[in-house]
């Protein structure tokens, strides 16, 4: 997100537009925690994880009263456009805000889950996948040396994007994805099949789904059925959400930051900018919330064939 903030600020400067940073998103908007930024305020942040503007969940923004307070704070400063970086929740708030006050808003997709319709990739996703990949490579050493079965649980809530891409890149035996509706029994049977084929160890990447820890239950079940097997679980958790962004993420964030400012200048409103097939795209914010990103079927086929 820092790379994106930097790009927004510097593009605005380039076009002689005043730019403000709002601390903690909608919370700061309501609490009037807003400060002017210039090109030096975003120096030396490109390589840092997290966000210099901080982040917060904000229940008050879900109310009309809260949004009115936020609007008054923008108005007071003569702020005429808003750029909001985030996922579903951020864009839902932005849509209400736009409908009520008609202030031009451009959304930028930023979530490690990559589950936003209208862009091939979201900011943070590639970095998260690479963090998981690094973990898989390291865990593989133990899995191989000790002949163990590992379930590696990754983030992604309802989205299996982190799981499938890290599993392919890490040469895992399989990935358990929410989109596929794979059951615990499917996974256990698949491992049994691998054992029959004399695979000495297995790595299965599991998307966390509704709550972290599901892989522990899966392992418990698997231990009952695969009695003589050493089965372990690693839950990667929030290490996936931090650290220096990859080159791809920095470039994506920079492109989207620039595109968002230019979208506002060109009169776009209530839209999300994304990158589709390497080109900047604009879609209604509503679509980014309501439509479901189609899952790339090729990837599930790929892992099935290559893990033979
Ligand atoms: O939406 C991004 C995400 O990282 C999910 O993959 C994960 O389930 C969730 O956020 C974790 O949220 P929190 O930091 O509030 O526990």
């Amino acid at each position: 997100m820092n790379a994106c903030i930097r790009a927004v600020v510097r593009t605005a400067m380039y076009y002689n537009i005043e730019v403000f940073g709002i601390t903690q998103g909608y919370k700061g908007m309501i609490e009037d925690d807003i400060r002017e930024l210039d090109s030096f305020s975003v120096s030396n942040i490109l390589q840092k994880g997290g966000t210099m503007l901080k982040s917060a969940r904000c229940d008050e923004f879900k109310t009309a009263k809260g949004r009115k307070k936020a609007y008054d704070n923008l108005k007071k400063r003569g702020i005429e456009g808003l750029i909001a970086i985030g996922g579903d929740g951020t864009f839902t708030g932005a849509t209400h805000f736009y409908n009520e006050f008609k202030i031009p808003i451009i959304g930028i997709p930023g979530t490690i889950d990559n589950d936003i319709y209208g862009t091939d990739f979201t900011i943070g996703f590639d970095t998260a996948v690479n963090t998981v990949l690094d973990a898989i490579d390291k865990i593989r050493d133990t899995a191989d040396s000790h002949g163990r079965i590992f379930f590696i649980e990754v983030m992604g809530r309802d989205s299996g994007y982190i799981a499938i891409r890290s599993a392919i890149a890490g040469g895992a035996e399989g990935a358990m994805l929410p989109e596929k509706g794979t059951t615990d029994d499917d996974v256990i049977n698949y491992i049994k099949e691998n054992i029959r084929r004399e695979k000495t160890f297995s790595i299965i990447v599991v998307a966390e789904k509704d709550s972290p820890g599901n892989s522990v239950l899966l392992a418990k079940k698997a231990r009952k059925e695969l009695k003589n097997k050493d089965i372990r679980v690693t839950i990667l958790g929030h290490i996936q959400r931090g650290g220096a962004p990859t080159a791809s993420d920095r470039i994506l964030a920079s492109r989207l930051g620039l595109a968002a400012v230019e979208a506002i200048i060109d009169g776009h409103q209530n839209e999300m900018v994304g990158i589709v097939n390497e080109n900047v795209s604009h879609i209604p914010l509503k679509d980014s919330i309501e439509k479901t990103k189609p899952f790339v079927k090729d990837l599930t086929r790929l892992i099935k064939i290559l893990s033979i």
Side-chain angles (χ1 to χ4, degrees):
M1 282 194 187
N2 281 325
C4 189
I5 294 165
R6 172 179 176 267
V8 167
V9 172
R10 296 213 167 149
T11 308
M13 303 267 94
Y14 176 81
Y15 286 110
N16 289 320
I17 296 170
E18 257 184 293
V19 57
F20 293 83
I22 306 176
T23 309
Q24 294 189 301
Y26 297 139
K27 188 164 180 277
M29 234 159 111
I30 291 175
E31 292 171 0
D32 202 19
D33 197 349
I34 301 173
R35 64 185 188 276
E36 192 162 357
L37 299 176
D38 61 23
S39 54
F40 295 112
S41 18
V42 290
S43 296
N44 199 27
I45 61 167
L46 177 70
Q47 77 286 8
K48 292 182 181 155
T51 156
M52 66 169 272
L53 290 176
K54 315 289 180 200
S55 183
R57 303 204 192 283
C58 180
D59 284 336
E60 206 183 339
F61 199 76
K62 292 181 184 154
T63 67
K65 206 170 146 209
R67 292 193 292 271
K68 173 76 173 63
K69 252 198 214 166
Y71 176 69
D72 289 342
N73 287 328
L74 298 190
K75 212 172 153 208
K76 183 167 89 184
R77 290 192 166 73
I79 293 173
E80 293 167 319
L82 194 66
I83 292 175
I85 313 170
D88 251 18
T90 307
F91 294 168
T92 304
T95 303
H96 286 303
F97 199 66
Y98 177 80
N99 290 339
E100 287 160 358
F101 305 107
K102 295 290 176 283
I103 178 167
I105 302 184
I106 297 295
I108 299 182
T111 162
I112 62 163
D113 295 350
N114 197 35
D115 57 349
I116 300 202
Y117 179 88
T119 186
D120 290 343
F121 297 108
T122 54
I123 299 170
F125 171 65
D126 188 63
T127 304
V129 169
N130 277 286
T131 300
V132 174
L133 178 60
D134 182 49
I136 294 175
D137 287 349
K138 286 177 174 147
I139 289 168
R140 174 181 287 279
D141 291 343
T142 299
D144 183 17
S145 310
H146 292 258
R148 287 177 181 167
I149 293 160
F150 266 93
F151 295 117
I152 303 180
E153 186 177 298
V154 301
M155 280 186 166
R157 212 174 278 161
D158 301 323
S159 156
Y161 274 98
I162 296 179
I164 189 72
R165 287 182 84 92
S166 61
I168 290 169
E173 272 55 48
M176 198 174 177
L177 314 169
E179 291 87 350
K180 296 287 288 176
T182 319
T183 65
D184 290 357
D185 287 336
D186 293 336
V187 175
I188 294 165
N189 288 333
Y190 177 65
I191 295 171
K192 280 183 185 162
E193 181 54 35
N194 280 342
I195 295 169
R196 262 195 296 278
R197 288 194 289 115
E198 296 183 353
K199 279 213 171 201
T200 54
F201 70 95
S202 282
I203 292 176
I204 309 286
V205 181
V206 182
E208 69 180 4
K209 288 199 289 191
D210 45 344
S211 64
N214 281 325
S215 54
V216 175
L217 303 176
L218 169 62
K220 214 168 160 190
K221 239 180 176 178
R223 278 189 198 107
K224 278 192 194 140
E225 296 211 26
L226 308 164
K227 291 224 164 53
N228 54 350
K229 281 286 161 190
D230 200 351
I231 299 172
R232 301 296 169 105
V233 174
T234 303
I235 300 177
L236 295 177
H238 286 81
I239 64 159
Q240 295 161 94
R241 283 237 299 242
T246 59
S248 291
D249 257 333
R250 295 180 201 195
I251 293 164
L252 175 70
S254 302
R255 288 186 76 187
L256 291 178
L258 180 140
V261 175
E262 291 189 338
I264 293 217
I265 294 171
D266 293 342
H268 291 266
Q269 312 205 340
N270 201 22
E271 288 182 357
M272 183 195 87
V273 288
I275 303 282
V276 177
N277 291 333
E278 272 305 312
N279 294 310
V280 171
S281 65
H282 302 90
I283 60 157
L285 260 186
K286 193 166 164 282
D287 286 358
S288 73
I289 304 161
E290 288 174 3
K291 295 193 177 170
T292 306
K293 188 174 197 162
F295 203 71
V296 189
K297 282 204 197 93
D298 250 19
L299 296 183
T300 42
R301 205 173 138 254
L302 185 63
I303 195 164
K304 204 166 164 207
I305 295 174
L306 299 193
S307 62
I308 199 159

